[in-house]
Every structure is written in structure tokens, then in C-alpha cells.
Amino acid sequence: MRIKIGEMEIEKQLSGKKTFIDLWREIEPDSPLPVGVKVDGEVKDIRDEVGGSEVEFLKDGPDALMVLRHSASHLLAQAVLQLYPGTRIGVGPAIENGFYYDFQREEPFTPEDLEKIEKRMRELAEKDIEIRREIWPRDKAIKFFKEKDQIFKLELIEEKTRGDISVYIQDDFVDLCRGPHVPSTGYIKHFKLLSVSAAYWKGDESRESMQRIYGTAFFTEEELNEYLNFLEEAKKRDHRRLGKELELFLISEDIGPGLILWLPKGGVVRNIMENYWRDEHRKRGYEIVFTPHVADIGLWGTSGHLDFYRENMFPPMVKDNVTYQLKPMNCPFHIVMFKSKLRSYKDLPIRWAELGTVYRYERSGVLHGLLRVRGFTQDDAHIFCTPDQMEDEILSTLYFARDMLSTFGFRDYEIYLSTRPEKFVGTPEMWDRAEAALKRALDRSGLPYEVDPGEGVFYGPKIDIKIKDVLGRTWQCSTIQVDFNLPERFQIYYVGEDGKHHTPIMIHRALLGSLERFFGVLIEHYGGAFPLWLAPVQARIIPITDRNHSYARTIEEKLKENNIRVENDLRNEKLGYKIREAQLQKIPYMLIIGDREEKEGKIALRVRGKGDVGKIGIEEFISMVKEKIINKSEEL
């Protein structure tokens, strides 16, 4: 057996049954137990019997952190049951940035309750309670949880188990769990409860309502504080708060959940995004098309959406004996357009792009501002090409995505090649060819990427680009997908050089993903302080006295003549108040004018993030701003 401890590796022969705890104590008798062990790539409990050929003892790192956080969720549940007897417990997994546990209780948990719970968790952690794993007969587990009135645990036993049951015990707390867990509660030192939210048992809206308490845990105080500071910064950048403060968008109960109202300032940004998007597509040989918001439901039967996607579609509507369906996607419309006339290989590739608004039913519990909505505008495009053209089209799309994302300020991203899943349409040969084309295009691009095995969609492999924002968070935006399914379902073809009919390759691609989601990411990335070319208001004129209003209006007209978005603050307020308000609105430039500036024909310029930078002539200011707008500069 090869054993790894940090950077050290040793070989050891084993005889007789023993646990990994015994093995550790043979090797490191004076060292604390690790949190867990990784055996042939699988994370296991340090209490398990020794086995496998390669063993790594986990003391820190991502795998160890997941064990720690899973144990922290149990500590949370133990504290809740001690403080609030009669509470029913659901599940408590470790998640990417922490952990949660679901509880059923009549009274809602308050912020004061979270403080009490966290205090009790610390008391339990300080006791360094041993965490034991036991295997119970199924009947014993059912009897125990029935006596405790833990109906959700009983349901899990009925659904997921047939033989003996794995439970974890820490003092008075017993949980149905396969583990792994840390050796004792004393390992859980650096943690914080973060929030409580509503949830449904098993995520099913028809089931019982639960309360989900979220928390996070780390191995060191420094890591915990760093993460809490990150959360504070993310909170400041929350697009929902900034969207309201900066008057960018609105979600109203009068309209419906997940449906976005773009307010005038948000509309300005959207218009800039759309114009840039259209201009760039035209430069690259795309034609802009438009399609309806609804279609005969038969279209969705042909496309397969009724079979594969029905639960994400809104209910159909009947009018004049015709059943219509709100579109969840744009692709079938483009297919029908391709089929409307005979196409030759000489016509290909055909690139059709559309800012098409689609409607998808998302459960209310997952709706999240602009990031998860029910109606959104996809920056969609479909490329119809021959198999020989596929690789070049994928490569040019990759470069297009890179250039567009970079223009919006995203230059750090992760790229994934997702390959054939277990269930797929088409032949393995078709998949191999498409995957090879995607891989060759990625290799030619020189962009680093990872292979994500089995994560392709059922109709073809894909490339996903996940951008990173200023806080290092990843967001799924761009995708390039090869589709074998729709061309065959709709029986589209082109006449090849040999005079015969051939099925074209169809490439789905989105660069921004959706305007709503991308706008939400933009808001958070920039904290609402958009670069000049995207700013809803690029300059605000602030006259010091009423005497300067006429000069302020003259400047306003000059800026508007040069297509600079400007506001004139002529209110009877103090100068400091006006400046402060412009700063809160994150306006790039403040043009302060008083008697001296008017006499000299200049402005006193204040720049967002820099403050007062001195006086400048009007024409010089206009020239500077126009150059920065044209270059889409991020620097003011």
C-alpha cells in the first residue's frame, strides 16, 4: 500500500484487520488524527477498515474541507435539537462554500436564534465530543427515528436503504448518514452561521415547508475572515440592491415573479449592449433575424421539447382551435427558416443571429433577481454548415466569444469541453467527429481548457465558457453546442457538390448567454460603476450658483451634440450634497462650474474614484471622453 501524508509518501505492508485510525497511529503516534482519508480516489471515514492500494490522509485541502463542513452541519443540527426540542430535521450536506441543514419548525428562526445556535455550537465544539460511526439493523434505526418523531429520516430510510443503516453519533445526537466525518467536534473551530431561508422538502413545492440554515466553516480563522470579507464585498455588489439604488431595473408583483422591467437607465445600458452586439455580428458575417414569441405546439413536438423539456415550459394556450406555446428556445424557428427554400453547399455556412426573448418556467424558490428569471432575451445564433466547415466555425466562434467578453471587461475565464453523456441521440461516430472538431478548434485557439466527461447535452457535445468576475466568482455565459438532433428531426438538408442531399451540421451558440443574466453579472462585476462607454449617465453638470445655470445649459447642449450622455443638476441644493449624490449614482464625471470657470470657459472636473483633477476646457473634455468611448476604455 502506498500512503501519502502531505508531501511524504511511504510504502507499507498490512496484515490483519485494522482501521485507518490504527494505521495512522502506527505511522504518526504523536500527531492528531487527520479529518479523513482518500482511498484510491474516494474520500472515506478515518474509522473505516483499511483497504485499497493508494491512501492519502487528509489534513487540509478541498476534500478535507468538505468533510469538515459536513461535520459542521451535524453540529448545527445537534445545537438546534438541544435548543428547540421537537424540531424535525431534514438533510445537511456540505456545499461549495459551506454547509446547510433543513429544519421543520412552526416558529421561524430569527437572527437572534442564529446567534444562540452558533453559541451552542461553539460550546459543543469546545467539549471535543467524539463522533462515532455505528451500523444499525434497519429495524433499530426505524424504531429510533420513529420514537424521535423524525419523519423525514424515516422517509429516507424507506427510500434509500434495504439492509443495515449507517448512523453517526455525537453525544445525544444521532443522524442517518454515510459520512465521512471528522473524529470529534473539537475539529470544528472556525465557523459562522450566515442566514436562514425557506426551502421545500426534497425541493418539491408540493411537499413540506422547511427552514434552511446556511453556514460556512474553515480550518483557520484567517480563511474564515477572508471569506466573510468576501461575502461583505459581494453584498455591496449585489445587483438586486444596486439595481434599485441606481434605478436600473424592477421586478414587480403586479407583473409577476421572474419578469424584468428595464427602467430607463437600465434601458440605456441594454441598448448599448444590443447595438454593440449587432454591429459585431454583422462584421463577422451573421445576419440578424427575428422570430415570434409563440408558435403552434406542433413545432415543439417536432423539436422534441415536449418530450425533453416540458416541465420547464409554460402551459399551452388555445385560440381558434389552435394550441400555441410560449417559446422556451429560438432554435426551431431558425430551423424552419432554413427549410423554407432549397439550400446548396455554396450557401453554407449560414449564420443567423437573434436577440430572441424566451420564456421558461423556473420554480419560485430558485428565482434570483436578473440571474434566474422566467422571461429573458438570449443572444442566440445558429450556424448551419458542412462537416468540413464545422471546425473553422467553432474556432471563429471561440475567438468571437473571447473578444466580446474581453470588451465587457472579462478576461479571466474557464473553458470546458463537455463530451457524450449516457443518453444521447445520433451515432457514436457522429459524436466522435463532433467532439474531435471541438477539441481541434480548442487546441488551435491556444486557449486552456478542461474536458468534462459525460456532461454534453443529449443532442451533441459542447464548449462552455465560465467567466470570472472581480471577486473570482465564476458565471456560465458563453456556450457552443453541436446539434445532431434538430436537423434530423426537421429533416433539413442541403444539396452537396455531388448533387445529393446532405444533413447540415447545426451549431448553437450564445456569447453573453442572456441579456438579463449578463447585465446582472456586469452590475456585480463593476459594483454598479460601469465603464464610461456603458454608463447610463456619463457626466453630470453641477453649477455652484443660480448665476451659472445659463453656462451649465450651454455645456449640456455641447455634450449632447457630441452624443455624450449628460444630466444637469440645477436644483437649489448645496454643492457638497450634489457631489455626494452624483458619487452615489456612480457617475463617471462631475463637471463643477462657478463664476471663475464660466469666466475662463472651463470646468472643474471631478472623476469617479479620483476626486478633483483640476480645470479643463470644454472641447478638450469632449475630445477626451469621445476617445475613451470609442476605445471602450475601462480607465476614466
Side-chain angles (χ1 to χ4, degrees):
M1 174 184 287
R2 181 183 296 123
I3 300 172
K4 184 177 181 182
I5 305 172
E7 298 299 320
M8 180 179 70
E9 289 191 12
I10 60 174
E11 294 282 346
K12 191 171 181 64
Q13 297 294 325
L14 301 173
S15 60
K17 288 186 177 180
K18 58 179 66 180
T19 67
F20 287 106
I21 291 178
D22 299 324
L23 179 59
W24 174 261
R25 284 176 175 155
E26 283 184 16
I27 300 170
E28 296 280 352
D30 299 322
S31 299
L33 291 173
V35 299
V37 63
K38 196 170 188 177
V39 182
D40 297 333
E42 181 183 357
V43 179
K44 292 190 173 185
D45 201 299
I46 199 167
R47 305 161 188 80
D48 286 358
E49 289 185 0
V50 170
S53 58
E54 294 192 2
V55 172
E56 179 184 359
F57 284 102
L58 303 174
K59 303 182 78 173
D60 52 28
D63 292 323
L65 193 57
M66 293 301 281
V67 176
L68 178 76
R69 288 170 171 173
H70 190 183
S71 301
S73 79
H74 278 216
L75 190 67
L76 164 61
Q78 183 181 14
V80 168
L81 289 180
Q82 287 185 1
L83 291 170
Y84 308 99
T87 300
R88 289 170 171 163
I89 58 176
V91 294
I95 54 177
E96 182 180 1
N97 292 313
F99 60 89
Y100 70 78
Y101 213 111
D102 288 342
F103 303 97
Q104 187 189 51
R105 178 173 174 259
E106 287 188 9
E107 294 295 321
F109 288 113
T110 65
E112 291 74 24
D113 290 329
L114 293 192
E115 291 180 9
K116 287 173 60 178
I117 295 167
E118 187 177 304
K119 181 180 178 184
R120 178 59 58 89
M121 289 174 68
R122 298 196 185 283
E123 293 169 354
L124 293 170
E126 288 173 6
K127 289 182 178 180
D128 197 22
I129 301 165
E130 181 187 9
I131 299 176
R132 309 191 321 273
R133 183 184 184 189
E134 294 186 4
I135 304 299
W136 285 3
R138 194 166 186 272
D139 290 345
K140 178 180 178 180
I142 290 174
K143 181 175 183 294
F144 176 84
F145 288 111
K146 186 175 289 185
E147 289 175 352
K148 298 291 185 180
D149 192 32
Q150 294 296 349
I151 59 174
F152 302 112
K153 297 298 179 182
L154 290 170
E155 184 176 327
L156 292 174
I157 291 173
E158 290 295 329
E159 286 182 354
K160 298 182 180 296
T161 64
R162 291 294 175 264
D164 292 341
I165 306 294
S166 171
V167 298
Y168 276 82
I169 303 170
Q170 53 197 58
D171 199 11
D172 60 340
F173 177 69
V174 180
D175 204 354
L176 178 73
C177 186
R178 289 178 298 189
H181 286 284
V182 298
S184 68
T185 61
Y187 283 67
I188 312 166
K189 297 178 180 178
H190 309 291
F191 60 87
K192 180 71 178 175
L193 296 186
L194 301 173
S195 63
V196 59
S197 66
Y200 293 102
W201 175 236
K202 297 181 178 177
D204 185 343
E205 294 180 16
S206 66
R207 295 298 305 271
E208 294 87 345
S209 179
M210 312 286 284
Q211 296 184 69
R212 177 169 294 174
I213 296 179
Y214 286 95
T216 192
F218 289 88
F219 283 110
T220 68
E221 190 74 19
E222 182 182 2
E223 290 172 318
L224 175 62
N225 289 334
E226 185 178 323
Y227 181 69
L228 295 178
N229 290 335
F230 162 82
L231 290 181
E232 281 300 311
E233 184 60 32
K235 186 177 180 181
K236 294 176 187 175
R237 293 171 177 267
D238 190 317
H239 74 281
R240 294 166 298 179
R241 180 180 67 83
L242 290 172
K244 182 177 182 180
E245 291 178 0
L246 302 179
E247 299 181 356
L248 298 171
F249 70 92
L250 178 66
I251 300 174
S252 170
E253 292 183 3
D254 294 332
I255 303 298
L259 302 173
I260 307 302
L261 298 170
W262 292 72
L263 297 174
K265 289 181 179 178
V268 169
V269 182
R270 174 166 176 160
N271 192 50
I272 296 166
M273 292 167 61
E274 288 188 1
N275 288 340
Y276 169 71
W277 185 91
R278 291 189 183 96
D279 290 343
E280 292 302 308
H281 278 75
R282 291 190 185 100
K283 290 176 186 177
R284 289 168 169 81
Y286 286 81
E287 297 173 293
I288 307 298
V289 298
F290 300 88
T291 60
H293 291 234
V294 299
D296 188 301
I297 199 168
L299 180 75
W300 310 106
T302 303
S303 69
H305 285 93
L306 293 182
D307 297 326
F308 292 99
Y309 208 72
R310 188 190 294 266
E311 66 179 19
N312 297 103
M313 298 165 68
F314 279 92
M317 46 194 165
V318 180
K319 195 71 175 175
D320 298 331
N321 296 319
V322 178
T323 302
Y324 293 96
Q325 176 68 54
L326 274 170
K327 66 175 177 180
M329 296 183 183
N330 302 300
C331 23
F333 294 89
H334 295 190
I335 287 270
V336 171
M337 293 163 66
F338 183 94
K339 196 176 180 179
S340 65
K341 61 181 268 189
L342 185 63
R343 310 282 177 179
S344 163
Y345 72 94
K346 296 179 181 179
D347 299 322
L348 305 184
I350 290 174
R351 306 182 190 98
W352 284 337
E354 176 180 13
L355 290 170
T357 301
V358 298
Y359 303 89
R360 300 177 186 175
Y361 176 73
E362 298 279 6
R363 291 178 175 177
S364 58
V366 301
L367 296 175
H368 184 77
L370 293 170
L371 304 179
R372 199 75 176 264
V373 295
R374 288 177 173 168
F376 58 92
T377 301
Q378 240 176 349
D379 76 310
D380 223 346
H382 297 96
I383 302 169
F384 301 92
C385 62
T386 68
D388 292 339
Q389 294 168 335
M390 177 168 53
E391 183 181 326
D392 285 340
E393 289 301 312
I394 293 167
L395 181 63
S396 65
T397 303
L398 274 170
Y399 287 145
F400 193 2
R402 178 198 61 188
D403 294 345
M404 181 163 283
L405 294 173
S406 176
T407 300
F408 282 103
F410 299 103
R411 299 175 184 86
D412 192 6
Y413 38 76
E414 298 171 348
I415 302 177
Y416 297 89
L417 170 58
S418 301
T419 58
R420 184 170 67 235
E422 289 186 12
K423 295 182 179 180
F424 62 91
V425 297
T427 65
E429 292 75 21
M430 295 168 68
W431 276 83
D432 290 344
R433 185 170 187 175
E435 287 176 8
L438 289 167
K439 186 178 186 306
R440 285 195 302 270
L442 282 166
D443 290 339
R444 286 172 59 190
S445 74
L447 299 171
Y449 68 94
E450 295 180 26
V451 176
D452 204 356
E455 291 303 312
V457 286
F458 72 92
Y459 53 76
K462 62 175 180 170
I463 294 171
D464 287 326
I465 302 176
K466 297 181 180 180
I467 59 176
K468 288 188 177 182
D469 68 12
V470 71
L471 297 182
R473 299 173 296 182
T474 58
W475 306 90
Q476 172 64 57
C477 289
S478 307
T479 185
I480 305 168
Q481 303 173 353
V482 178
D483 188 352
F484 313 122
N485 183 47
L486 287 182
E488 290 189 351
R489 279 182 170 270
F490 282 89
Q491 298 179 347
I492 64 172
Y493 60 86
Y494 64 93
V495 178
E497 196 170 2
D498 58 2
K500 296 179 181 179
H501 289 180
H502 298 270
T503 303
I505 298 294
M506 183 179 185
I507 300 173
H508 303 250
R509 47 111 293 198
L511 305 184
L512 306 181
S514 82
L515 296 188
E516 285 76 6
R517 178 177 169 80
F518 192 76
F519 186 39
V521 175
L522 271 178
I523 294 171
E524 300 211 357
H525 179 63
Y526 288 111
F530 298 109
L532 182 64
W533 72 284
L534 284 173
V537 178
Q538 295 168 322
R540 179 175 287 182
I541 304 167
I542 304 178
I544 295 175
T545 69
D546 293 351
R547 295 189 302 275
N548 310 121
H549 283 189
S550 177
Y551 182 49
R553 292 190 183 96
T554 301
I555 295 173
E556 179 184 3
E557 290 303 314
K558 283 188 178 181
L559 297 184
K560 287 180 176 178
E561 287 171 4
N562 285 275
N563 296 315
I564 296 171
R565 296 184 291 278
V566 60
E567 290 180 346
N568 208 342
D569 191 344
L570 303 178
R571 295 174 300 165
N572 185 24
E573 298 284 355
K574 292 182 178 179
L575 177 62
Y577 177 85
K578 292 182 179 183
I579 291 173
R580 174 62 177 162
E581 194 168 79
Q583 290 172 335
L584 291 174
Q585 288 296 304
K586 304 182 186 294
I587 295 172
Y589 296 116
M590 285 167 271
L591 283 55
I592 314 298
I593 55 173
D595 293 339
R596 186 175 300 176
E597 286 78 19
E598 183 171 354
K599 182 178 180 181
E600 297 173 355
K602 293 185 176 182
I603 58 172
L605 181 62
R606 291 184 65 89
V607 179
R608 184 183 65 201
K610 297 179 181 178
D612 186 3
V613 297
K615 292 183 182 180
I616 186 174
I618 302 300
E619 297 302 327
E620 184 183 353
F621 173 75
I622 290 172
S623 177
M624 177 192 73
V625 170
K626 289 174 69 174
E627 182 179 358
K628 289 181 181 294
I629 292 172
I630 291 170
N631 294 330
K632 296 180 173 56
S633 173
E634 293 179 43
E635 294 293 326
L636 295 179

